[in-house]
Every structure is written in C-alpha cells, then in structure tokens.
Amino acid sequence: MPRANDEAAAALDEYAELFALTGGDAFRVRSYQKAAKAIRGYARDISTAPVRDVPGVGQAIATKVTEFMERGSFRQLDELRQQVPDGVRRLTRIPGLGPKTAVMLFEEYGVDSPPALAEAIRSGRLDRAKGLGEKTRTNLLKGIDELAEVQGQVHIGIAMGVAEEVIDSLREHVERIDYAGSLRRMKDHIGDVDILAVADPSVMAVFRDQHYVAEVLVSGEKKTSVRTVEGLQLDLRLVPAESWGAAMQYFTGSKEHNVELREMAVKKGWKLSEYGLFSGDTVLAAADEAEIYSRLGLQYVPPPLREGSGEVAAARREELPTVIEREDLRGDLHSHTDLTDGVASLSDMVARAAELGYSYFAVTDHAPDLVMQRMTLEKARAQRDQLRELQADHPKLRLLHGTELNIDADGGVDWPAEILDEFDVCVASVHSHFNQDRDAMTRRFIAACENPNVNIIGHPTTRKIGKRGPVDADWEAVFQAAARTGTAMEIDSYPDRSDLPVDLVRLARHHGVRFSIDSDAHAVPHLDFQRFGVGLAQRAWLTTDDVINTWPWQRLKKFLAKGG
DNA sequence: GCCGTTTTCGGCCCGACTGTTTTCAGTCG
C-alpha cells in the first residue's frame, strides 16, 4: 500500500481527533475520518494520482492533503496541535475513555497521561469526579493496563511498510539489501526493524537523511539506528558480501534458535557467527543462508519457524512440516464492499480477486445487527444478484455470496436459518460485549459453533494490536466445539488483528480445528493482507490440510455443508 | 466538510450499552 496514502490518512485522523477534542462539529469529524479511511484504502498512490478523485475527498480536504504532501503538515493541523495538550490525546487511547472525559480530566484535575490517571484513581483524587463512579474508575484502570501491555510495539503491517520503504529508498545505493529480525520471522508485534545491506559506508549518510527518520540514535560505519516518525526503531547494518547468508541467519534469530544452532556447531568442533560457519580458519558456509543449515546437517528452516520450539530437532530428523505458502491459498472467505463498511465496489473487489488467481472468493458484508451498516435482506439479495451477474465475466473464479454475522451476547446471529441457507458461506464474529466473563463468553462462542449455518468464527479474540486486548474465553472448550461441529477458526490477516494469535492457533490445531486464512479486506489493497495471515500460520506450523481455503472447491464445499 | 435519480441546502450510519443519573451523557461499533 502506498506509504504517502498512509501518512496523509494518519494526518487526517489526527486532525479529526483534535477537531473533536476541541468541540468541533461531529459531522465534520466524520468527514475527516471518512476521507482518511478512503485515502488509506485507495488503490493508487496519492503522491502521483489526484487526491480529489478519492471518494469522500472534496476541495477542502484536498487542499489540506496537498499542503501535507509538500511539507508534512497543514496549517489547521499545526494550529490544533498547539491548542490541544498531548496529554489529552494520550488519554483518549484508553479504551472506554473518550474526548469529553479526557478534556474534563485534564482541565479539572491536571491529568495528562494514562499513568497519571491510574495514580489519580488509586489515590482517591477522582472519587468525587462527576460522571466517574466506582465502576467506571475500575474499568479505566483495566483499560490502562491493556494499553500498557501493547505499548512500544507496532503491528506487522506498519513494520513491513516501513521496511519496504527503507529498502526502496536505499536500493540504488547498495549492492544488496533485505530485512531480517522478528519481521522476517513474521511476528505480529514488532519492536524494531533490522535491515541488512552490502554497501559502502557512505550509504549511512543517505539513510540518516531520509524523510521517515525522526531521530538518529547512533550512527557509525557498520550500524546506524534511528527512530521513525511512527516511533519504530530501525537498525541498518552493513555486512560483508561474503558473509551475507550468515548475517541474515544471525540477525533473523530468534535468539533461542541461534543458540541451538551454535551448540550444534560447537559439538562438531565448528564455530557459527554472523560471519559464517567455520572449521578453524576454513569457511564451511557464509554467503548462502541455506548452505549453513545444510552443512549443519539440517533441513532448511523457514524463518517463521525459528523460535527455538523444537524446529531444530525436527529439522535434524528431516521431519519439518511442509508449511503453507501464500501460493497455496485458493481463495479468500472474508471481505467487505462499500455496501457496508468497505470503501471499494463489489466489482473492484472481485476484479482484484480474479487478478490474484483465486479459484473462489467470498464477499461477506455485515448483516443487520450492526445497525450502523444499514444492511437489509433486500440489499443482501440485490448484492447476490449483482454477484451472479459478475460471475459471467470471471469463468475461472467461483464467486461466493457470504455474510459476516454478528454473534450477539447470547450466541445468536442476525438472520434465521432459512435466510442463512441462501448464503454460500457464513462468517460469524463478536463485535460488542467484549467484557463478558469467561463462562458467558465461552457459551456464546460454543453456541455460534453449534449453529449449523455458521462456517467460520471471524477474528475470534477481537483483539486490536495497540488498542484493545483479547476477550476472555475458555478457548479449549471453544476449540473442542469448533472441531466437533466442523466450524473453522479464522486467521484474520488484517495486520492489527492477526487473530487468532499464534499460540491459540497451535492450541486449536491440537484439538483438530481447521482454519480459514482471510484478508477481512475493506479495500482493494487489503486483499494482499493474506501474506500476514500466512506468516502467522507458518509460525504455528500449519500445513495445507489445516487450512480450508487451500482446498479444492469440492472439498471446501463439503466442509461448508457442516455434515448437513 | 462532503454530497446530489433529494442537486447548491440540508441532510449526513443508528442504536445499544454502561454507569450514572433521576432523565441522560458518553462511548462504541
């Protein structure tokens, strides 16, 4: 996705937030947010394409974006940044705390950060604050804890975008360049990004001058560390060309994986470092990463498996699974259009799915329970008719008409069975009542699994990386129900969701659950998010047999029938 | 601020939940 779009969208989102905090008109706030969302999901790069063409962008926003592209900000944003203390914005990051309360806390109590709020609540200073009863204060403390847990890391979507931007910006100055570290291992939370390059040290000056660099932390001939405007730490290391493979191996990690490899080398009387695999002064392997593994007598271990969790022993016995690859996916079973909260038309989404070479593709817009999406049965059926018409243009792509149902507090869904029978595939997801206790939440999920029309539980934990923690459920019980009923668990590839998380994927697989790796796309470029879901699945050692949307249509069709 | 088989003004995604209130404000999806 074009980085310029993300940056302009982030600026508009910030402006919307500041505008709301200063008591601005709610409809204008929504306009800024809507434009931000549309720009972020726009398929073309707005640094070259006219931003006025983006739906939801009129003259006023276009002017702001144009100024932003020229100098990294716009006048009205600068003014509001002056007006609103950072502390007030920090407070609104806390789940359950909106602009009104944030302003009140700052103005009346001088509270300007989540830790300051926690302190104020614990000290009893807010016991008489209006609108903040005991329950609210308890919930806010919980929200502050959730926020603290996820701070200092970004999700893989942001980190990957930064890494690719860095590589693009330096490519003409280097002989070779790639990213390593936890990003190459496809972790869903990334603390810093490691980039390796073969280049002349003069590239460091070029790097320091890039527009994404907010602060230079250290800079030498071999290593430069900077902080980006997103707050992400970025390390660029120069390595000798002849040690490229060893350096990639070493800096990809994980630490635990590397310790096991070095121990193996030592037992053979060798030495493994970031410069190569050596026997005395003789180089056994160094330039090529795969050769290091083979000289150690190991199968090649794909980076997402390198966690020191048994992969080295398995590689020694030649028992590593053939993990799923992006090319194994035959389709996508969860996507949205502008009929509900997506930003692209049905035909545009379908056209991109066809380009991706899929055998099948499901459109799953929201059902009526999410009232704000204004879905009706008539609209859903009209969309189905439109999809059937589009089918004629795409003989190789089977178009499936699905829906994303809302699982209500008791485990019920939006439509009765006779209506659900009309759909080819039903995803069912939790969108509210996140704070239910474990028993209620578990019953809720099990009821959804037992619904004969529900095929896939969408983004099961509902976590949003950096924003909201997972719901609490007895996952073993849920997974047993899913396996028993033939209900798949989704691996939602939307990078801030990355949901199921990898440890739960492993647990679910242990119980015999199948998975669907979906994009949950709300825009055309989002269809490519599946690469993140595949990375997550690789980390859990999933094979094509575990993932229903790698299956040929006839096999998938049987699964979707849930034995009925 | 955007948009127009409602076209240059007057709408704009609407309802539920929570905790606080004593009739409702704030937040969320």
Side-chain angles (χ1 to χ4, degrees):
Chain A
M1 212 168 305
R3 185 185 172 90
N5 294 29
D6 279 350
E7 289 178 346
L12 283 174
D13 273 330
E14 182 185 352
Y15 185 63
E17 191 184 353
L18 294 172
F19 195 77
L21 279 167
T22 51
D25 174 61
F27 290 113
R28 283 176 62 184
V29 172
R30 199 174 297 157
S31 289
Y32 300 130
Q33 289 170 337
K34 203 174 158 190
K37 185 176 176 181
I39 288 172
R40 192 174 280 117
Y42 196 55
R44 296 167 65 196
D45 188 333
I46 55 154
S47 57
T48 49
V51 66
R52 191 70 171 78
D53 289 355
V54 181
V57 174
Q59 196 47 56
I61 290 180
T63 305
K64 291 180 177 66
V65 170
T66 305
E67 187 180 343
F68 177 82
M69 304 300 277
E70 281 166 10
R71 62 176 197 89
S73 187
F74 51 89
R75 182 178 53 81
Q76 298 89 336
L77 179 60
D78 291 337
E79 285 171 8
L80 286 190
R81 277 175 174 165
Q82 290 285 320
Q83 239 182 81
V84 180
D86 272 355
V88 176
R89 289 194 66 208
R90 281 196 290 272
L91 287 176
T92 61
R93 300 281 175 277
I94 301 169
L97 202 163
K100 295 275 168 33
T101 315
V103 170
M104 186 277 289
L105 285 169
F106 182 76
E107 287 181 349
E108 293 183 26
Y109 296 91
V111 171
D112 64 355
S113 69
L117 176 58
E119 193 281 323
I121 292 173
R122 293 206 176 93
S123 72
R125 268 210 300 144
L126 299 179
D127 286 0
R128 296 222 186 86
K130 67 172 192 301
L132 290 186
E134 196 180 337
K135 273 208 155 160
T136 305
R137 296 197 300 271
T138 307
N139 284 341
L140 288 177
L141 284 177
K142 183 173 168 250
I144 292 167
D145 282 346
E146 272 183 21
L147 193 66
E149 272 172 36
V150 294
Q151 259 179 357
Q153 299 204 318
V154 299
H155 64 71
I156 187 172
I158 292 177
M160 190 65 84
V162 169
E164 287 173 347
E165 168 81 2
V166 172
I167 289 170
D168 278 351
S169 69
L170 299 180
R171 197 179 300 281
E172 61 183 66
H173 303 279
V174 300
E175 201 177 303
R176 196 162 187 183
I177 188 163
D178 208 345
Y179 59 86
S182 55
L183 183 61
R184 185 160 176 246
R185 301 203 313 279
M186 299 297 282
K187 288 197 73 166
D188 47 38
H189 289 65
I190 306 288
D192 50 39
V193 171
D194 300 296
I195 310 267
L196 303 189
V198 175
D200 185 87
S202 62
V203 73
M204 293 305 195
V206 179
F207 178 53
R208 290 193 303 267
D209 283 346
Q210 295 296 321
H211 69 102
Y212 47 76
V213 172
E215 184 189 356
V216 178
L217 303 173
V218 288
S219 186
E221 287 219 330
K222 289 191 168 168
K223 178 188 164 186
T224 294
S225 294
V226 304
R227 197 175 301 288
T228 70
V229 286
E230 293 91 347
L232 190 63
Q233 187 176 324
L234 203 56
D235 295 343
L236 175 64
R237 290 169 203 277
L238 301 190
V239 304
E242 62 273 19
S243 312
W244 176 260
M248 282 299 284
Q249 198 291 312
Y250 180 85
F251 287 109
T252 295
S254 66
K255 199 173 171 184
E256 294 75 15
H257 176 84
N258 287 355
V259 166
E260 286 193 54
L261 254 51
R262 284 202 293 275
E263 282 173 1
M264 282 190 73
V266 169
K267 279 182 189 153
K268 292 175 192 279
W270 299 339
K271 189 184 78 165
L272 176 63
S273 73
E274 66 263 49
Y275 297 104
L277 179 63
F278 301 93
S279 170
D281 291 336
T282 312
V283 181
L284 301 175
D288 182 64
E289 187 184 46
E291 212 174 306
I292 291 172
Y293 285 91
S294 81
R295 286 307 296 260
L296 285 169
L298 297 172
Q299 273 181 292
Y300 178 74
V301 182
L305 275 64
R306 299 181 192 172
E307 291 299 326
S309 54
E311 75 281 2
V312 175
R316 187 160 36 204
R317 296 192 305 266
E318 302 217 341
E319 287 174 4
L320 276 183
T322 305
V323 292
I324 178 177
E325 300 286 344
R326 171 78 198 257
E327 304 76 63
D328 293 326
L329 292 181
R330 293 176 194 246
D332 193 339
L333 299 177
H334 183 176
S335 71
H336 297 274
T337 73
D338 57 8
L339 182 61
T340 58
D341 59 349
V343 299
S345 68
L346 180 68
S347 58
D348 285 351
M349 294 295 280
V350 167
R352 177 64 187 152
E355 271 174 27
L356 287 168
Y358 288 149
S359 308
Y360 41 81
F361 178 66
V363 177
T364 55
D365 271 315
H366 291 287
D369 269 10
L370 262 62
V371 181
M372 63 178 187
Q373 309 297 354
R374 289 191 149 180
M375 181 57 102
T376 62
L377 185 55
E378 291 66 36
K379 284 190 194 176
R381 284 175 172 159
Q383 183 186 54
R384 185 175 305 145
D385 292 341
Q386 198 191 342
L387 198 71
R388 302 290 182 245
E389 279 174 30
L390 283 169
Q391 182 67 76
D393 303 333
H394 300 284
K396 288 184 185 161
L397 175 65
R398 181 179 299 273
L399 296 175
L400 305 176
H401 192 237
T403 180
E404 183 183 9
L405 300 164
N406 180 50
I407 305 175
D408 68 26
D410 300 319
V413 297
D414 315 44
W415 274 311
E418 60 270 24
I419 301 295
L420 294 181
D421 283 339
E422 298 175 13
F423 289 94
D424 300 315
V425 56
C426 294
V427 179
S429 322
V430 165
H431 299 100
S432 63
H433 300 88
F434 303 118
N435 285 324
Q436 273 183 328
D437 66 49
R438 173 179 290 226
D439 284 349
M441 189 66 81
T442 304
R443 282 197 301 274
R444 182 179 181 187
F445 277 117
I446 291 175
C449 288
E450 286 175 343
N451 184 321
N453 287 104
V454 170
N455 303 118
I456 298 166
I457 303 295
H459 48 72
T461 77
T462 77
R463 71 166 177 175
K464 288 261 187 100
I465 294 174
K467 294 197 186 97
R468 181 171 73 209
V471 296
D472 189 22
D474 177 352
W475 291 110
E476 294 223 62
V478 173
F479 296 152
Q480 282 163 4
R484 173 169 52 80
T485 56
T487 311
M489 285 287 143
E490 183 170 68
I491 294 177
D492 188 312
S493 307
Y494 213 94
D496 69 346
R497 289 193 181 271
S498 294
D499 188 8
L500 282 181
V502 65
D503 46 341
L504 289 179
V505 174
R506 293 196 190 102
L507 180 67
R509 184 182 195 231
H510 171 76
H511 287 287
V513 170
R514 309 287 195 180
F515 303 88
S516 184
I517 301 177
D518 302 325
S519 68
D520 195 358
H522 286 67
V524 170
H526 297 172
L527 289 167
D528 292 301
F529 283 162
Q530 275 175 314
R531 67 168 166 154
F532 300 126
V534 169
L536 202 162
Q538 290 174 333
R539 291 172 56 74
W541 297 33
L542 295 194
T543 66
T544 55
D545 195 47
D546 299 311
V547 180
I548 63 171
N549 55 326
T550 66
W551 296 353
W553 167 243
Q554 287 304 327
R555 185 177 176 194
L556 174 61
K557 190 178 165 191
K558 272 181 209 152
F559 182 87
L560 296 177
K562 288 189 94 169

